[in-house]
Amino acid sequence: MLLAALRKEVLAANVELVERGLVLFTFGNASGIARGKGLVAIKPSGVPYDELTPESIVVTDLDGKVVDGKLRPSSDLRTHLELYKHFPNIGGVAHTHSEAASAWAQAQRPIPCFGTTHADYFHGPVPVTPPLSPEEIAGDYEKATGEVICRAFAGSDPDATPAVLVAGHAPFTWGPDVAAAAHNAVILEYVARMAMATVTINPAALPLAHALHDKHFFRKHGKHAYYGQAAAQ
Amino acid sequence: MLLAALRKEVLAANVELVERGLVLFTFGNASGIARGKGLVAIKPSGVPYDELTPESIVVTDLDGKVVDGKLRPSSDLRTHLELYKHFPNIGGVAHTHSEAASAWAQAQRPIPCFGTTHADYFHGPVPVTPPLSPEEIAGDYEKATGEVICRAFAGSDPDATPAVLVAGHAPFTWGPDVAAAAHNAVILEYVARMAMATVTINPAALPLAHALHDKHFFRKHGKHAYYGQAAAQ
Amino acid sequence: MLLAALRKEVLAANVELVERGLVLFTFGNASGIARGKGLVAIKPSGVPYDELTPESIVVTDLDGKVVDGKLRPSSDLRTHLELYKHFPNIGGVAHTHSEAASAWAQAQRPIPCFGTTHADYFHGPVPVTPPLSPEEIAGDYEKATGEVICRAFAGSDPDATPAVLVAGHAPFTWGPDVAAAAHNAVILEYVARMAMATVTINPAALPLAHALHDKHFFRKHGKHAYYGQAAAQ
Amino acid sequence: MLLAALRKEVLAANVELVERGLVLFTFGNASGIARGKGLVAIKPSGVPYDELTPESIVVTDLDGKVVDGKLRPSSDLRTHLELYKHFPNIGGVAHTHSEAASAWAQAQRPIPCFGTTHADYFHGPVPVTPPLSPEEIAGDYEKATGEVICRAFAGSDPDATPAVLVAGHAPFTWGPDVAAAAHNAVILEYVARMAMATVTINPAALPLAHALHDKHFFRKHGKHAYYGQAAAQ
């Protein structure tokens, strides 16, 4: 993929996060990767969204070295890089402080799969990371944040559950490209709001039965999917 | 009714669901039936709302066979068809994942009639379906969803309570035509939000007294109605 | 006051309720009174707000007889009339099913005065009416609703607390004119939302101390007021 | 700083509070100080926001005497003046009745630091003042409000936690200039909403670990900051 095209996609995904109401001021960032080139395009740090242009998107290598662009990359860059290194199928990452998903992260509770809206997108609960140690916080904090996300997915499939809550912080989402990562951030916020409403109505609410969870997930994902116009007939 | 007119009505009702904030991305669908012809017009599956045109609305027979239209119908078509078969007076069906009504469905709690806003539209609580069996989920799932809705109305009148919560899933509403079905989806979401607020304020809140419930329902419905300009004088 | 001017004011107040998000579809109504003429101008029943014109506002006498206008008055007219008869200083009445205030009405809990925002407008808790008897509901229901509101104010001053929650129903507000009645409906909804949030954060939250409650109320009301440009210097 | 420039900044900050949805009707006010001149520019009392012009902003000295402007200053002026006298580094103050922050004030609970969004802006919990005594309320109430805020910060740094909840009332925020004060009011409301959601999800939620709290605060503040384009390299 040409870097110019990737930058445009990354810009569009960052703007999508704003337009969907997931971002206040300069919070949040989205990135995309050109796997063949080993290059990542990410929002610059602390720049107002209405000043973003394709040229302002920063391009770095997988070590975080800026290879193109005049601005400093998002301070969360190293978290994104860890995800790209450990989740080989993902092409984009999004990070927001969206209200309800961040509240679950602050409550340090995984989001249970209470219904089919969740099951359509996330296979199983959205996990919450274990806390970082004081040493990890004092060291390369943003890299350690990426590592603790990867630890939360040990033994499970990040492609089937493209979202995580970083304990005491906020969500990260991902997907095959940066547009999908931003899309999943929007879905996650909606699912988080509905889950909060669910426990408000019934504090003893039970997760969805496994059979129904799988039904909805596989109705939209994998070779037996039959949702949408592009699904196998 | 001409199919062209039905398609326009179905398109307008689907757009109404979006404009009222009940729909995220491509979630949700509304359909209408031409009873005389035995034909149903429904939103296509997974198509963005701003790409919908009257021609993109899919027309099927009551067995779900597409008789007009180039796209695949909504994956929830068979649920709509069951409702048309078992509820003989309805002319339209709407399905959304609207936030508060879906939260009640996820909480697997019927929405109690806490006040006159509810009583103006729904006679009695909005019921929640029993769960589907693993066999029903593994089989013709969308048809089984329609069947379980009908079972939830065994012995009660779907025309007096034109809404249901499918357990762990989301609401369906209906009415004399597709516009009424969409209208009832809007009302249901409002009633669901108010009911959630009611139990937040007072977890021991009691349902409305029967006399007041009936008063409000029959003020707007049936031969003694006196609300609005068209009511009997 | 000329009736033409009163109709315009009543129309503007009804539109204000919509623009402030207090009204869904055709719910809600506002009226004003020309005390000298003994005439009340009120929204017609069940007419969409965007079709309202000054001419569509219905004028009745204090017995509810239409003296001018081609449409039927709001079905809640008789409630308004009771308030005009018993609260001699009020010039306007507003009724909505606004979400949070109606939730308090459904929860059958008065809204405690938790803070200065409330104290700036309402002296003491916003009361909730006792329930209507089956006989009152079966009889002249809307008149009985007005009567039960008046009973809720026996011994207290409706001018100092221009709002009430009708149990299991929704709020009514009033004021010196119809614009003030609508303004108080907006404030009441805001206060109701904040009170719900307050009990969510702290279920044991205590009402404001009397001294602070009085301070804020009398900072804006009465002969020692010093808020705003028109206050006594 | 020229007074004309300060008035424009104060006007812009007051408008920002409205555009961010923190202000209903004429609630709320923001001010800025020209330290060298000992002059404060503040919103006039009770004037609708859409009628505000730079000329309508009132200029007073630190005793509250109007030195320029034809209108009466905000009734909360004396609270602002106390903050300017006791917090020597601040250049602006904002006061709103924003919904969630006021609900915490009404609940008389400090906002715990539940996550990094809070830690990015406020070092430690956002404190709630002790209640005012009846004597303070009956005396120079607005001045006493400022004094009780200052008492709440005895032994802690107002520059590191530029926000307070006045018990039973609402928040005040501040910053190096009036724009920063308004910015902090927006952040405070967001943090307050997320904290309320956090305790809704998990009533036993714990505050953020100190190490992570400090990490985020000092990532954006002080000489080791590395967030944004202007941070030390």
Side-chain angles (χ1 to χ4, degrees):
Chain A
M1 178 188 281
L2 288 174
L3 278 182
L6 181 61
R7 273 175 155 153
K8 278 189 191 173
E9 283 183 21
V10 168
L11 174 60
N14 276 288
V15 169
E16 169 82 355
L17 297 178
V18 177
E19 291 182 347
R20 292 287 177 171
L22 304 193
V23 159
L24 182 67
F25 295 126
T26 63
F27 299 3
N29 41 72
S31 73
I33 187 168
R35 287 267 175 202
K37 295 181 162 64
L39 295 179
V40 169
I42 192 166
K43 178 172 163 280
S45 180
V47 172
Y49 280 84
D50 55 5
E51 297 176 12
L52 288 183
T53 60
E55 293 72 38
S56 67
I57 301 299
V58 186
V59 178
T60 79
D61 63 20
L62 281 164
D63 294 324
K65 185 164 172 284
V66 174
V67 298
D68 199 28
K70 294 174 185 160
L71 299 170
R72 304 174 71 199
S74 164
S75 56
D76 296 307
L77 169 66
R78 288 190 180 278
T79 310
H80 292 235
L81 295 179
E82 284 305 299
L83 299 185
Y84 288 125
K85 286 177 194 166
H86 290 87
F87 297 167
N89 301 322
I90 69 175
V93 172
H95 170 53
T96 79
H97 287 212
S98 68
E99 195 171 322
S102 297
W104 283 92
Q106 292 192 158
Q108 307 207 17
R109 291 261 168 103
I111 304 177
C113 178
F114 282 130
T116 60
T117 317
H118 180 126
D120 281 340
Y121 284 86
F122 307 113
H123 198 222
V126 175
V128 59
T129 64
L132 292 172
S133 69
E135 292 72 29
E136 288 172 316
I137 292 166
D140 191 343
Y141 166 65
E142 288 81 7
K143 184 166 186 283
T145 299
E147 289 167 346
V148 82
I149 292 172
C150 296
R151 286 207 296 274
F153 277 86
S156 63
D157 178 4
D159 298 328
T161 308
V164 74
L165 308 171
V166 178
H169 186 163
F172 281 80
T173 54
W174 48 84
D177 56 29
V178 65
H183 184 92
N184 287 337
V186 178
I187 296 290
L188 177 65
E189 178 63 10
Y190 196 73
V191 163
R193 277 210 306 272
M194 292 215 302
M196 183 164 67
T198 301
V199 298
T200 297
I201 294 165
N202 182 1
L206 293 175
L208 203 60
H210 276 288
L212 190 52
H213 192 324
D214 284 356
K215 175 70 187 180
H216 267 262
F217 187 75
F218 293 115
R219 192 166 83 147
K220 293 187 82 168
H221 301 271
K223 63 180 177 182
H224 299 296
Y226 59 95
Y227 179 91
Q229 299 301 324
Q233 300 273 337
Chain B
M1 180 188 282
L2 289 174
L3 278 183
L6 181 62
R7 274 176 154 151
K8 277 190 192 172
E9 282 183 22
V10 168
L11 175 59
N14 276 287
V15 169
E16 169 82 355
L17 297 179
V18 177
E19 291 182 346
R20 292 286 178 172
L22 303 194
V23 159
L24 182 66
F25 296 125
T26 63
F27 300 2
N29 40 72
S31 72
I33 188 168
R35 288 265 175 203
K37 296 182 162 64
L39 295 179
V40 169
I42 192 166
K43 177 171 162 284
S45 180
V47 173
Y49 280 83
D50 55 6
E51 297 176 12
L52 288 183
T53 61
E55 293 72 37
S56 66
I57 301 299
V58 186
V59 178
T60 78
D61 64 21
L62 281 165
D63 294 324
K65 186 164 171 286
V66 175
V67 299
D68 199 27
K70 294 174 186 159
L71 299 170
R72 304 175 71 199
S74 165
S75 56
D76 295 307
L77 169 65
R78 288 191 180 278
T79 309
H80 292 235
L81 295 180
E82 284 305 299
L83 299 184
Y84 288 125
K85 286 178 197 167
H86 289 88
F87 297 168
N89 301 323
I90 70 175
V93 172
H95 169 53
T96 79
H97 287 211
S98 68
E99 195 171 321
S102 297
W104 282 92
Q106 294 192 156
Q108 307 207 17
R109 292 260 169 103
I111 305 177
C113 179
F114 282 129
T116 60
T117 317
H118 181 126
D120 281 340
Y121 285 87
F122 307 112
H123 198 223
V126 176
V128 60
T129 65
L132 293 172
S133 70
E135 291 71 30
E136 287 173 316
I137 292 167
D140 191 343
Y141 166 65
E142 287 81 8
K143 185 167 186 280
T145 299
E147 290 167 345
V148 82
I149 293 173
C150 295
R151 285 207 296 274
F153 276 86
S156 63
D157 178 5
D159 298 327
T161 308
V164 74
L165 308 171
V166 178
H169 186 163
F172 282 80
T173 55
W174 48 85
D177 56 29
V178 64
H183 184 92
N184 287 337
V186 178
I187 297 290
L188 177 64
E189 179 63 11
Y190 195 73
V191 163
R193 277 210 307 272
M194 293 215 303
M196 183 164 67
T198 301
V199 296
T200 297
I201 294 165
N202 182 1
L206 293 176
L208 202 60
H210 276 288
L212 189 51
H213 193 323
D214 283 355
K215 174 70 187 180
H216 267 262
F217 187 76
F218 294 114
R219 193 165 82 145
K220 293 187 83 167
H221 301 271
K223 63 181 178 181
H224 298 296
Y226 58 95
Y227 178 90
Q229 299 302 323
Q233 301 273 337
Chain C
M1 178 189 281
L2 289 174
L3 277 183
L6 181 61
R7 274 176 154 150
K8 278 190 192 172
E9 282 183 22
V10 169
L11 174 60
N14 276 287
V15 169
E16 169 82 355
L17 297 179
V18 176
E19 291 183 346
R20 293 285 177 174
L22 303 194
V23 160
L24 182 67
F25 296 125
T26 63
F27 300 3
N29 41 71
S31 73
I33 188 168
R35 289 266 175 201
K37 296 180 162 63
L39 295 178
V40 169
I42 192 166
K43 178 172 162 283
S45 180
V47 172
Y49 280 83
D50 55 6
E51 297 175 13
L52 289 183
T53 60
E55 292 72 37
S56 66
I57 300 298
V58 186
V59 178
T60 79
D61 64 21
L62 280 165
D63 294 323
K65 186 165 170 287
V66 175
V67 299
D68 199 26
K70 294 173 186 161
L71 298 171
R72 304 175 71 199
S74 166
S75 56
D76 296 307
L77 168 65
R78 288 190 180 280
T79 310
H80 293 236
L81 296 179
E82 285 304 299
L83 300 184
Y84 288 124
K85 287 177 195 166
H86 288 88
F87 298 167
N89 301 323
I90 70 175
V93 172
H95 170 52
T96 79
H97 287 211
S98 68
E99 195 172 321
S102 297
W104 282 92
Q106 294 192 155
Q108 307 206 18
R109 292 261 168 101
I111 304 177
C113 178
F114 283 130
T116 59
T117 317
H118 181 126
D120 280 340
Y121 284 86
F122 307 112
H123 198 225
V126 175
V128 60
T129 64
L132 293 172
S133 70
E135 292 70 30
E136 288 172 315
I137 292 167
D140 191 344
Y141 166 64
E142 288 80 9
K143 184 167 187 279
T145 299
E147 289 167 345
V148 82
I149 292 172
C150 296
R151 287 206 296 274
F153 277 86
S156 62
D157 177 5
D159 298 328
T161 308
V164 74
L165 309 171
V166 178
H169 187 165
F172 282 79
T173 55
W174 49 84
D177 55 29
V178 64
H183 185 91
N184 287 338
V186 178
I187 296 291
L188 176 64
E189 177 63 10
Y190 196 72
V191 163
R193 276 209 309 271
M194 292 214 305
M196 183 165 66
T198 301
V199 296
T200 297
I201 293 165
N202 183 0
L206 292 175
L208 203 61
H210 276 289
L212 190 51
H213 192 324
D214 283 355
K215 175 69 188 182
H216 267 262
F217 187 77
F218 293 114
R219 194 166 82 146
K220 293 187 83 165
H221 301 270
K223 64 181 177 179
H224 299 296
Y226 58 96
Y227 178 90
Q229 299 302 323
Q233 301 273 338
Chain D
M1 178 189 281
L2 289 173
L3 277 183
L6 181 62
R7 274 176 155 151
K8 277 189 192 175
E9 282 182 21
V10 168
L11 174 60
N14 277 288
V15 169
E16 169 82 354
L17 297 178
V18 177
E19 292 183 346
R20 292 286 177 173
L22 304 193
V23 159
L24 183 67
F25 296 125
T26 63
F27 299 2
N29 41 71
S31 73
I33 188 168
R35 288 267 175 202
K37 296 180 162 64
L39 295 179
V40 169
I42 192 166
K43 178 172 162 283
S45 180
V47 172
Y49 281 83
D50 55 6
E51 297 176 12
L52 288 183
T53 60
E55 293 71 37
S56 66
I57 301 298
V58 185
V59 178
T60 79
D61 64 21
L62 280 164
D63 295 323
K65 185 165 173 285
V66 175
V67 298
D68 199 26
K70 294 173 186 160
L71 299 170
R72 304 175 71 199
S74 165
S75 56
D76 296 306
L77 169 66
R78 289 191 179 279
T79 310
H80 293 236
L81 296 179
E82 284 305 299
L83 300 185
Y84 288 125
K85 287 177 194 164
H86 290 88
F87 299 167
N89 301 323
I90 70 175
V93 173
H95 169 52
T96 79
H97 287 211
S98 68
E99 194 172 321
S102 297
W104 283 92
Q106 293 192 157
Q108 308 207 18
R109 292 261 167 102
I111 304 178
C113 179
F114 283 129
T116 59
T117 317
H118 181 125
D120 281 340
Y121 285 86
F122 307 112
H123 199 224
V126 175
V128 59
T129 65
L132 293 171
S133 70
E135 292 71 29
E136 287 171 316
I137 293 167
D140 191 343
Y141 166 64
E142 289 79 10
K143 185 167 186 282
T145 299
E147 290 167 345
V148 82
I149 293 173
C150 296
R151 287 206 296 274
F153 277 86
S156 63
D157 178 5
D159 298 327
T161 307
V164 74
L165 308 171
V166 178
H169 186 165
F172 282 79
T173 55
W174 48 84
D177 55 30
V178 65
H183 185 91
N184 287 338
V186 179
I187 296 290
L188 177 65
E189 178 63 10
Y190 195 72
V191 163
R193 277 210 308 271
M194 292 214 303
M196 182 164 67
T198 301
V199 297
T200 297
I201 294 165
N202 182 2
L206 293 175
L208 203 60
H210 276 290
L212 189 52
H213 192 325
D214 283 355
K215 174 69 188 182
H216 267 262
F217 187 76
F218 293 114
R219 193 166 83 146
K220 293 187 83 167
H221 302 269
K223 64 180 176 180
H224 298 296
Y226 59 95
Y227 179 90
Q229 299 302 324
Q233 301 273 338

